[in-house]
Structures are given as structure tokens and as C-alpha cells.
Amino acid sequence: MEIITAVRDMQSKAKQLRREGKSIVVVPTMGFLHEGHLSLIEVARTIADVVVTTLFVNPTQFGPDEDFERYPRDQKRDEQLAEHAGTDILFAPDTKEMYPPGHRTVVVTEGISTVLEGKFRPMHFRGVTTVVAKLFHIVKPHHAVFGQKDAQQVAVIRRMIEDLNMDVGLIIAPILREDDGLAMSSRNVYLDPAERKNATALYRTLLSVKEFVGRGERDVSVLRREMTALLNEAGHSGIDYVTFVDKETFEEVSRLEGPEVVALLAVRFGKTRLIDNMIIPVTPETP
């Protein structure tokens, strides 16, 4: 595995690979890799000649009161895991390399980036779209792999790709979960044992609402009450949102219509904020 830290070196390498007729796939990460990240790399390995995994904790997607400084980091461990999973090139720039003095340009996807996560983390998606756009220009990938766990992020990036006519194919990999259902996340390390146990309520709640929908419930207000009641039994420290959105537009809905909707949760356990989601099939209502 080759490790590249300079933007110009990565650009030169990408140009060389393209001249050679090689296809490139990028897997953007903020490091502290877990099995969820590794599953993205494994998916990438099946769709292109060269897998580039990026390792960059992006400061512009963290708010002033968020956990940028304490976000877990272990680059040596990440290097070993990334290589074992099938990475050909690890692009690991530092902050000054990605945002040199004088950097003033940002990428904003309006509308979709201001609701839900965008409401609770106002600068978050501006940071995400800016850094992903930069990574696309640096790595020059034919494809990019992201995980379904960050469902709104996927929707925002898809919108950016379409609106800016970026020639990058977006591949969405399914959520990878622990044995007890908790979605894998680098932030899970912040949970103490009691919080970690309580956090499994996220997946149980999503499974329960899927059953409610399967039995015919379509009223989102009813479903939201059921979900909130289940979460309240789990000892959380706050619910930011419990909602349903159209899979394609990501607009919130008040009544479920087919063929699919996305159920979304953002819940705090102690000081740790976790998100989760599930794509739920919705069969047509019987007349």
C-alpha cells in the first residue's frame, strides 16, 4: 500500500493511473477505522482497479461545541487495517495541506443540508460537501463509496454530484452493525458500558417501527409516538429527532407512501450523539 500525504502528489498519481487506463474508486473516511469502514473498502475492491482510502479528520464539518479535538485518531492502526482490507493508496493529508492559508471557497447544497442534521449542526454539511468536492478533485475517482448509516450525508453528496455534473458514480453500502444491532461508528468508543447497552435501543426501535409499518400503520405522528416511547425506556439523554423522509428527495413526510421511506433517529446517550436509520418498504394501502 502506498501512503500519500501531499495534494499535488495524489493528483499526479491519479493522472498517471487514468493515463494507464486504470479505474479509481475512493473511500472517504475520518479514520479510526472499524469494521464498517473496512466493509466499504471491501466493496470498493470489487468495482475498480485501484482503491484509494482517504484519512482526514475534517475540521470544517465540526461545530464549535463538537468533538473535533477529542475525535479518536490512530493513524498507524488505520494504515494496517486499510492495507489488510484492500487499499492500494492511503491518502492522509494534514489540515494545512487540505486548507492552506487563504482558503476561502466552500460548497453548499441548499435545502437538503439545512434540515435534520443540518438544523442541529448548521455548518456540518457545508464542511462535508466542501471536503468531498476537494477529495474528488484530488483523487479523480470514477466511483466513490459511502455508507448508508449517514443517510442524509449520502443524499447531500448525491445532490452535489448531480447539480455540479461531477463524473463520479456514487456507491452506497449497507449499514454494518455490531452483534447487538448497534450501528458501527467511531463515536461508539465514547459510550460507557451502561450507555453502550442503552444505545442498542436505536436498532430495536427501527425494527419495531418496521413491524408497525408492515402491519399497515401509515400515520407518521402515530409511528413517531411509538418510537419515542420505545426510546424513552432506554435511558437516553435527549432526542434530537425521530422522523421519516422520502428516500429520493429526503423531504419529511406526514404519511407513508410506497415504495420505500427512510426512518431516521438522532439520540444522545450521555454526551454522545448517535444517528441511525432504516430503509422501510411501504406496500400500497388496500382500498
Side-chain angles (χ1 to χ4, degrees):
M1 182 182 74
E2 183 177 358
I3 300 175
I4 298 177
T5 58
V7 166
R8 290 195 180 277
D9 291 344
M10 184 67 247
Q11 288 175 319
S12 295
K13 184 69 175 182
K15 290 177 183 177
Q16 174 193 332
L17 291 169
R18 279 181 167 260
R19 283 196 300 268
E20 294 171 355
K22 301 288 182 63
S23 58
I24 304 169
V25 58
V26 66
V27 182
T29 84
M30 292 207 301
F32 209 69
L33 303 181
H34 51 66
E35 289 296 328
H37 295 116
L38 303 183
S39 72
L40 303 184
I41 297 171
E42 291 165 2
V43 169
R45 182 77 273 162
T46 68
I47 61 176
D49 299 317
V50 179
V51 176
V52 180
T53 299
T54 69
L55 183 64
F56 179 63
V57 183
N58 177 35
T60 65
Q61 67 190 69
F62 289 80
D65 299 321
E66 294 183 339
D67 57 351
F68 174 70
E69 293 299 334
R70 72 186 189 105
Y71 193 86
R73 297 164 172 85
D74 190 339
Q75 183 162 332
K76 289 299 181 183
R77 171 182 172 275
D78 288 342
E79 290 172 5
Q80 295 172 357
L81 291 172
E83 183 173 19
H84 183 72
T87 297
D88 298 299
I89 300 171
L90 185 71
F91 178 51
D94 62 20
T95 300
K96 289 183 180 179
E97 187 69 16
M98 288 296 286
Y99 298 106
H103 184 277
R104 292 291 182 272
T105 303
V106 297
V107 179
V108 178
T109 303
E110 295 183 341
I112 193 172
S113 65
T114 62
V115 299
L116 301 176
E117 287 298 291
K119 178 180 178 181
F120 286 92
R121 307 176 68 190
M123 305 298 287
H124 175 67
F125 285 121
R126 188 179 84 163
V128 169
T129 45
T130 299
V131 78
V132 171
K134 287 170 70 67
L135 290 172
F136 285 175
H137 286 299
I138 295 165
V139 177
K140 306 183 188 306
H142 297 82
H143 304 279
V145 180
F146 289 85
Q148 174 62 29
K149 188 182 81 67
D150 297 299
Q152 189 173 359
Q153 172 178 280
V154 166
V156 168
I157 291 170
R158 179 182 288 114
R159 183 78 270 155
M160 178 187 75
I161 288 173
E162 293 178 0
D163 288 352
L164 298 183
N165 305 110
M166 294 178 168
D167 191 17
V168 180
L170 190 60
I171 310 297
I172 310 305
I175 299 172
L176 205 62
R177 299 182 180 278
E178 303 286 357
D179 291 342
D180 58 9
L182 183 65
M184 291 185 178
S185 168
S186 298
R187 287 189 169 89
N188 291 348
V189 298
Y190 298 154
L191 300 167
D192 67 27
E195 292 163 354
R196 173 65 180 75
K197 181 179 179 181
N198 290 341
T200 60
L202 294 178
Y203 186 52
R204 292 198 307 273
T205 298
L206 290 169
L207 288 176
S208 293
V209 78
K210 183 179 180 180
E211 289 184 13
F212 294 146
V213 174
R215 293 200 297 264
E217 185 57 67
R218 298 292 182 267
D219 188 329
V220 166
S221 63
V222 173
L223 294 169
R224 188 180 286 121
R225 282 198 301 271
E226 294 287 347
M227 295 170 75
T228 302
L230 290 169
L231 290 169
N232 286 342
E233 296 174 0
H236 62 75
S237 56
I239 298 176
D240 283 353
Y241 58 78
V242 173
T243 194
F244 294 80
V245 300
D246 181 274
K247 184 183 176 183
E248 299 302 322
T249 66
F250 227 77
E251 294 178 354
E252 290 190 82
V253 298
S254 59
R255 188 169 185 82
L256 305 190
E257 297 180 359
E260 295 176 322
V261 297
V262 185
L264 297 152
L265 304 170
V267 184
R268 300 174 188 273
F269 294 89
K271 295 181 179 180
T272 304
R273 185 178 186 274
L274 299 178
I275 60 174
D276 204 345
N277 70 87
M278 182 177 288
I279 299 173
I280 298 178
V282 183
T283 56
E285 296 183 75
T286 303

